[in-house]
Amino acid sequence: MERFGAFEVVDEAAERERNLRPTVQMEIAAKVDLNHPDGRYAGLTLEAEERAKAREWEIERTHERFDRRQDSDREARCRDYVAARTPSELWQVEQVDPRAGMAQAELAQVNQQADRLHGRVRGWTRGALSKQIARRVQRGKDVTDAVIETAEEAQFGAGQVVPIGALAQVEGDEVTVQGRVVKLWPPSHPSIAQVGLLEDETGTVRITVWEKSNKTRVREGERVRIGAGALSFYKERASIAITGWSEFRVLDRGRWWER
């Protein structure tokens, strides 16, 4: 506060800040009120208070385990339940190599067949093929059937390039193929970017590139590789759709300005 002649001049901004500044006692009281169990919902509307209480109840219920016994078999029961309901062997954790308990002569036969099969399939090691054959033998298959099933898995499994003529043998709904685009024709709907025929040495298949997939445009005569293409059949004729999840690569283009 200053004097200007006979009048006192008041700095309103400084006075307002001084009056509104909390004291040490006020800050301590605020912290105590904030952390007090009965003051957690102070200042909240009824709707906000109910929402906060519901959230706390949900967190407490989620963190609390129903079966808290030290000798609980909850995890074991859960594993058995999942194993019984899961059809695919890929979900089963195999702890022991199936070849470990085989007789010497049987193991030699399995390894011999795996070595022979290794020269016919790509992307599989001899050890992996031997293990797959041994697993099937362990489950009651004879060696011949085990080799046939393993060969089909190695040839038509996920990520393997499947001959177009063998698409009918693929059990899943996704497939990887490779070939040359021999024909393209105008799409029948704006949602389709391109439609045509893909050919390899075993046959031809219709391919459809969806507009939303944002894939590279291809020209007739170019070789392409389709990975994770959506496989479907109509009147026993296969067709492959290229979606946003699919790989669609033009093999003849190696420079970025040709893409």
Side-chain angles (χ1 to χ4, degrees):
M1 184 180 299
E2 300 180 357
R3 286 186 174 274
F4 185 75
F7 302 98
E8 293 181 350
V9 179
V10 179
D11 188 346
E12 295 183 359
E15 188 70 13
R16 188 184 304 109
E17 182 181 357
R18 184 179 64 80
N19 292 334
L20 295 178
R21 183 180 302 162
T23 62
V24 175
Q25 290 79 8
M26 292 172 64
E27 291 182 352
I28 294 175
K31 290 181 180 179
V32 171
D33 293 341
L34 180 63
N35 295 316
H36 195 276
D38 297 332
R40 285 181 299 174
Y41 310 113
L44 299 179
T45 63
L46 180 60
E47 179 184 0
E49 181 180 346
E50 290 178 348
R51 187 182 297 111
K53 289 182 178 179
R55 178 60 178 163
E56 291 180 359
W57 175 83
E58 181 183 3
I59 293 175
E60 182 180 359
R61 180 175 178 271
T62 303
H63 287 181
E64 182 179 0
R65 174 171 166 170
F66 175 74
D67 186 1
R68 294 178 292 179
R69 296 180 291 109
Q70 290 186 357
D71 58 344
S72 171
D73 61 344
R74 177 171 176 261
E75 287 80 5
R77 287 186 285 108
C78 182
R79 285 194 299 268
D80 294 341
Y81 175 79
V82 173
R85 293 181 60 88
T86 304
S88 174
E89 64 181 6
L90 298 177
W91 291 85
Q92 306 300 323
V93 179
E94 185 178 352
Q95 300 292 341
V96 181
D97 192 321
R99 297 168 293 185
M102 280 189 161
Q104 188 71 23
E106 189 177 36
L107 179 59
Q109 187 180 8
V110 167
N111 289 334
Q112 181 182 6
Q113 295 296 331
D115 186 67
R116 188 169 62 88
L117 191 60
H118 181 259
R120 295 163 43 196
V121 298
R122 295 182 299 175
W124 289 69
T125 64
R126 289 181 177 85
L129 292 170
S130 173
K131 191 173 182 180
Q132 292 296 324
I133 297 173
R135 181 184 293 115
R136 288 178 167 86
V137 171
Q138 188 182 53
R139 293 175 180 175
K141 299 282 185 178
D142 59 37
V143 176
T144 302
D145 291 340
V147 170
I148 293 175
E149 291 184 3
T150 303
E152 292 178 351
E153 178 186 4
Q155 186 176 7
F156 306 126
Q160 298 294 321
V161 178
V162 177
I164 293 176
L167 289 176
Q169 303 179 43
V170 177
E171 296 182 356
D173 55 1
E174 288 188 353
V175 69
T176 298
V177 294
Q178 184 172 305
R180 188 175 301 277
V181 178
V182 294
K183 186 175 179 58
L184 292 171
W185 54 83
S188 59
H189 194 274
S191 62
I192 300 176
Q194 287 187 296
V195 60
L197 284 179
L198 185 70
E199 181 184 64
D200 66 3
E201 60 275 7
T202 64
T204 59
V205 64
R206 176 191 173 110
I207 59 172
T208 302
V209 184
W210 292 105
E211 184 69 39
K212 288 186 177 181
S213 67
N214 295 320
K215 300 302 182 183
T216 303
R217 294 294 192 270
V218 67
R219 297 185 291 267
E220 290 184 357
E222 290 184 319
R223 294 187 308 114
V224 299
R225 177 188 176 95
I226 301 172
L231 176 65
S232 61
F233 291 89
Y234 178 72
K235 293 184 179 180
E236 299 184 355
R237 291 187 62 87
S239 64
I240 299 175
I242 292 85
T243 67
W245 299 100
S246 306
E247 174 197 7
F248 190 56
R249 184 157 54 95
V250 182
L251 303 177
D252 295 332
R253 303 180 194 174
R255 296 170 292 184
W256 63 269
W257 58 84
E258 293 181 338
R259 296 184 184 277

